């Protein structure tokens, strides 16, 4: 692994945080790649990204580029852009990828056509090995070197183990998984459930309701993961339970904050929904539930609330009056 070179595509908070922690470890050359030449020049000169990671100095070892061919020498390339920008990233940078490069998808979402992001990217880059990074990790914590653990999933267990070894550091620990379905669905569905946690908080329904929602949300997640061919055990790990606890309880979470605003009575369309992964994923996940004949009552309720088809109190009443059954 001595010849590894890492490129991180996406100069937002998460991409910059990942590039920072990799560069701080100092084992391999790391380049942060973005599309705005002025921004990348400022990051290189100032060694600060105040709009994304205020107060966090960027390592001297970290390189910056706005050129797509900056990925050409990297054999580990991370797509650290939102889920809706993943396909565009694959098309833009794909022609420059090295033949021996592996791509790590660092978004937690679903495609509008009800596909996993690995399916979307593999159709565009059929010869490129793919992996997925997911789990409980806020950008600010990662960049500051605070202890963080996440999941690294790839169908090939050898690839998953190799990437986990390459990308792990003293503060950033990765656990390899061969369940790419479970890792991806956990990351996508926890965003939807975090919105539900926010709605509960914003509506003043209490911590007991939040705890019940997290528990039953995990049950929903398990059912869909199994129906789509994944392993339900994955849901109880970092990319499922771990990430849901973080985003469903911390006010750093945009999904939670979005839900709180809705719970307080603000319309979803006026509180930044387009910037929240869970707001986009809710309706897609609800459709997946119907497609695979999986009961997803919390997910369905969140999708209906966001779409304006259901109000919060009616949704809570419907959830609480569902037929009694064994857990």
């Amino acid at each position: 692994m001595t010849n590894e070179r890492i490129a991180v595509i996406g100069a937002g908070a998460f991409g910059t945080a990942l590039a920072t922690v990799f560069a701080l470890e100092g084992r391999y050359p790391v380049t942060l790649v973005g599309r705005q030449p002025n921004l990348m020049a400022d990051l290189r000169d100032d060694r600060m990204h105040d709009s994304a990671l205020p107060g966090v100095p960027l390592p001297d070892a970290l390189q910056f580029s706005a050129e797509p061919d900056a990925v050409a020498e990297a054999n580990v390339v991370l797509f650290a852009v939102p889920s809706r920008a993943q396909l565009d990233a694959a098309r833009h940078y794909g022609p420059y990828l090295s033949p021996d490069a592996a791509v790590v998808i660092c978004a937690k979402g679903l495609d509008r056509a009800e596909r996993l992001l690995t399916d979307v990217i593999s159709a565009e880059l059929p010869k490129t090995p793919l992996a997925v990074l997911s789990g409980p990790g806020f950008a600010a914590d990662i960049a500051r070197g605070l202890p963080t653990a996440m999941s690294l999933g790839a169908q090939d267990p050898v690839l998953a183990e190799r990437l986990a070894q390459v990308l792990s550091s003293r503060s950033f620990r990765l656990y390899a998984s061969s369940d790419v379905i479970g890792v991806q669905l956990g990351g996508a569905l926890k965003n939807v459930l975090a919105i539900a946690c926010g709605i509960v908080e914003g509506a003043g329904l209490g911590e007991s309701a939040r705890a019940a929602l997290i528990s039953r949300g995990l049950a929903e997640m398990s059912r869909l993961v199994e129906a789509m061919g994944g392993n339900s055990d994955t849901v109880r790990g970092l990319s499922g339970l771990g990430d849901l606890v973080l985003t469903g309880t911390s006010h750093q979470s945009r999904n939670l904050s979005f839900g709180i605003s809705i719970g307080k009575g603000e319309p979803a369309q006026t509180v930044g929904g387009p910037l929240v992964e869970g707001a986009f994923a809710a309706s897609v996940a609800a459709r997946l539930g119907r497609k695979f004949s999986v009961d997803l009552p919390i997910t369905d309720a969140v999708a209906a609330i966001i779409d304006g088809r259901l109000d919060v109190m009616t949704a809570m009443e419907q959830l609480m009056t569902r037929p009694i059954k064994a857990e």
Side-chain angles (χ1 to χ4, degrees), residues 136-157:
F138 285 141
D141 293 347
I142 293 170
R144 289 185 168 87
L146 299 177
T148 303
M150 301 181 72
S151 296
L152 194 291
Q155 283 188 329
D156 179 358

Side-chain angles (χ1 to χ4, degrees), residues 179-203:
D179 182 15
V180 291
I181 294 174
V183 169
Q184 287 180 92
L185 283 176
L189 294 179
K190 66 87 187 177
N191 285 328
V192 180
L193 297 170
I195 292 174
C197 288
I199 292 172
V200 164
E201 181 174 336

Side-chain angles (χ1 to χ4, degrees), residues 103-124:
V103 164
V104 182
I105 298 168
C106 302
K108 301 171 182 178
L110 298 166
D111 179 61
R112 189 181 297 276
E114 299 160 24
R115 297 179 296 174
L116 299 174
L117 294 179
T118 47
D119 296 330
V120 174
I121 303 305
S122 65
E124 184 67 25

Side-chain angles (χ1 to χ4, degrees), residues 11 35 53 61 78 88 93 136 164 172 198 216 218 225 244 283 304 322:
R35 295 204 198 183
L53 293 171
L78 295 94
D88 181 59
Y93 294 100
F172 187 68
R216 298 313 304 160
L218 283 172
V225 166
L244 176 55
S283 61
R322 284 167 51 81

Side-chain angles (χ1 to χ4, degrees), residues 36-47 64-66:
Q36 298 174 271
N38 291 342
L39 172 62
M40 304 315 292
D42 288 343
L43 297 182
R44 182 185 62 242
D45 296 340
D46 300 338
R47 297 287 152 178
F64 301 89
S65 180

Side-chain angles (χ1 to χ4, degrees), residues 8-255:
V8 180
I9 294 171
F14 195 61
T16 305
L18 290 173
T20 295
V21 77
F22 301 151
L24 280 172
E25 191 67 12
R27 290 186 295 162
Y28 312 113
V30 182
T31 302
L32 180 63
V33 184
R35 295 204 198 183
Q36 298 174 271
N38 291 342
L39 172 62
M40 304 315 292
D42 288 343
L43 297 182
R44 182 185 62 242
D45 296 340
D46 300 338
R47 297 287 152 178
M48 297 292 289
H49 195 341
D50 288 330
S51 62
L53 293 171
V56 178
L58 304 181
D60 291 339
L62 180 57
Q63 303 170 55
F64 301 89
S65 180
E67 301 299 326
D69 62 1
V71 306
E73 295 184 0
N75 50 7
V76 180
V77 181
L78 295 94
F79 284 7
V81 297
S83 58
R84 283 164 285 178
Q86 289 282 322
L87 179 57
D88 181 59
R91 289 172 174 168
H92 186 73
Y93 294 100
Y96 302 95
L97 291 175
S98 167
D100 66 346
V103 164
V104 182
I105 298 168
C106 302
K108 301 171 182 178
L110 298 166
D111 179 61
R112 189 181 297 276
E114 299 160 24
R115 297 179 296 174
L116 299 174
L117 294 179
T118 47
D119 296 330
V120 174
I121 303 305
S122 65
E124 184 67 25
L125 305 174
K127 297 181 180 180
T128 302
L130 300 180
V132 181
L133 177 67
S134 191
F138 285 141
D141 293 347
I142 293 170
R144 289 185 168 87
L146 299 177
T148 303
M150 301 181 72
S151 296
L152 194 291
Q155 283 188 329
D156 179 358
V158 175
L159 175 63
E161 182 63 33
R162 174 201 149 210
L163 293 174
Q165 292 284 349
V166 169
L167 299 177
S168 289
S169 71
R170 286 162 289 186
S171 65
F172 187 68
R173 181 180 178 86
L174 296 180
Y175 288 80
S177 171
S178 59
D179 182 15
V180 291
I181 294 174
V183 169
Q184 287 180 92
L185 283 176
L189 294 179
K190 66 87 187 177
N191 285 328
V192 180
L193 297 170
I195 292 174
C197 288
I199 292 172
V200 164
E201 181 174 336
L205 300 178
E207 294 300 327
S208 297
R210 191 205 306 260
L213 191 150
I214 288 175
S215 299
R216 298 313 304 160
L218 283 172
E220 288 192 14
M221 201 185 290
S222 296
R223 290 195 293 268
L224 186 58
V225 166
E226 284 189 337
M228 292 183 64
N231 187 340
S232 62
D233 287 343
T234 304
V235 170
R236 293 186 283 276
L238 290 165
S239 62
L241 175 59
D243 211 356
L244 176 55
V245 169
L246 181 68
T247 55
T249 61
S250 172
H251 285 205
Q252 290 187 61
S253 165
R254 284 186 295 182
N255 291 284

